[in-house]
């Protein structure tokens, strides 16, 4: 057991960890003493080095860290101030930058795809479990599971086809809920896919019922 960071009061909230292919350990976490989002790294055989990711007093409460294909850290975090927002932070050339990705943002779970593009599932009290991703310079969000309490304490993974698989709880009904990013119409028409939460007409011709996966 090692000490990563010592603070006068409360440090380490919302911690998330990742280890790269060289064995370097990366941690994203919150320093509640200063309301800072922070990052800690330990090289193989070395000690811990900590740095501030975002010190703008946004009152970060949680962090989710992932590494790019080159081992660079990316952090999704929930900032409770300014109306509650999801932020995404990237370390590039030794400098951290942070940008707002979406409203809501509680219980954020971050994954990077094969092109190092971010995908986040998170909770919004106004809508429920939400999926947010970035394409180019644009962030877009989609509702996954509607409800004022649906989608808390969630997590997600991307499969080898780049599809999202998410799990979260609904404390109102005491249910563990699972969502996947695509629904496939297997027949009798050729396969068609659309995101969970989207509305789609799926016409087909022929005898027999359709099959959904």
């Amino acid at each position: 057991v090692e000490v990563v960071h010592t603070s006068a009061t409360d440090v380490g909230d919302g911690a998330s960890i990742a280890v790269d292919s060289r064995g370097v350990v990366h941690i994203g976490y919150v320093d509640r003493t200063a309301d800072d989002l922070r990052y800690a790294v330990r090289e193989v055989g070395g000690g811990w080095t900590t740095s501030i990711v975002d010190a703008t007093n946004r009152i970060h409460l949680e962090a989710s860290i992932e590494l790019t294909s080159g081992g660079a850290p990316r952090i999704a975090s929930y900032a409770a101030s300014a109306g509650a927002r999801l932020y995404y932070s990237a370390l590039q050339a030794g400098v951290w930058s942070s940008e707002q990705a979406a409203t809501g943002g509680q219980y954020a779970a971050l994954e990077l795809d094969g092109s190092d593009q971010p995908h986040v599932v998170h909770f919004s009290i106004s809508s429920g479990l939400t999926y947010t991703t970035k394409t180019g310079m644009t962030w877009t969000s989609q509702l996954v599971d509607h409800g004022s309490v649906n989608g808390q304490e969630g997590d997600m993974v991307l499969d080898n086809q780049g599809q999202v698989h998410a799990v979260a709880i609904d404390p109102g009904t005491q249910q563990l809920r699972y969502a996947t990013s695509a629904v496939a119409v297997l027949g009798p028409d050729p396969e068609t896919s659309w995101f969970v939460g989207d509305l789609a007409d799926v016409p087909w011709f022929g005898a027999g019922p359709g099959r959904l996966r």
Side-chain angles (χ1 to χ4, degrees):
V1 177
E2 304 174 30
V3 175
V4 176
H5 182 175
T6 300
S7 177
T9 54
D10 194 357
V11 68
D13 279 7
S16 178
I17 190 169
V19 180
D20 66 27
S21 60
R22 298 183 296 119
V24 177
V25 181
H26 307 255
I27 301 175
Y29 64 102
V30 175
D31 179 357
R32 293 291 298 278
T33 303
D35 289 327
D36 291 340
L37 179 64
R38 298 186 68 99
Y39 165 71
V41 60
R42 189 191 66 180
E43 297 287 342
V44 176
W48 290 101
T49 300
T50 65
S51 59
I52 295 175
V53 176
D54 186 1
T56 55
N57 294 318
R58 292 192 177 110
I59 312 180
H60 292 274
L61 298 179
E62 300 154 355
S64 178
I65 191 170
E66 288 291 329
L67 305 176
T68 67
S69 54
R74 303 289 187 261
I75 299 175
S77 60
Y78 167 59
S81 61
R85 297 289 187 268
L86 173 70
Y87 278 85
Y88 179 71
S89 302
L91 180 63
Q92 296 176 306
V95 178
W96 282 100
S97 62
S98 299
E99 59 182 311
Q100 181 181 316
T103 57
Q106 286 180 274
Y107 310 112
L110 169 67
E111 286 284 329
L112 302 179
D113 63 24
S115 300
D116 293 330
Q117 291 300 304
H119 303 256
V120 188
V121 293
H122 55 97
F123 171 72
S124 170
I125 195 169
S126 64
S127 53
L129 184 64
T130 303
Y131 165 68
T132 296
T133 189
K134 187 178 185 182
T135 303
M137 301 299 293
T138 304
W139 289 96
T140 56
S141 296
Q142 294 178 314
L143 179 63
V144 175
D145 192 6
H146 178 72
S148 60
V149 295
N150 291 353
Q152 297 187 33
E153 300 184 38
D155 198 6
M156 69 162 286
V157 295
L158 297 173
D159 64 23
N160 56 10
Q161 301 299 314
Q163 301 293 349
V164 177
H165 299 261
V167 63
I169 64 169
D170 175 0
T173 59
Q174 300 299 309
Q175 292 177 336
L176 177 66
R177 299 167 72 90
Y178 164 77
T180 185
S181 65
V183 175
V185 180
L186 302 179
D189 251 14
E191 182 172 307
T192 303
S193 299
W194 68 92
F195 282 104
V196 171
D198 285 358
L199 298 177
D201 292 323
V202 188
W204 66 72
F205 303 93
R211 295 188 297 121
L212 297 178
R213 179 181 65 213

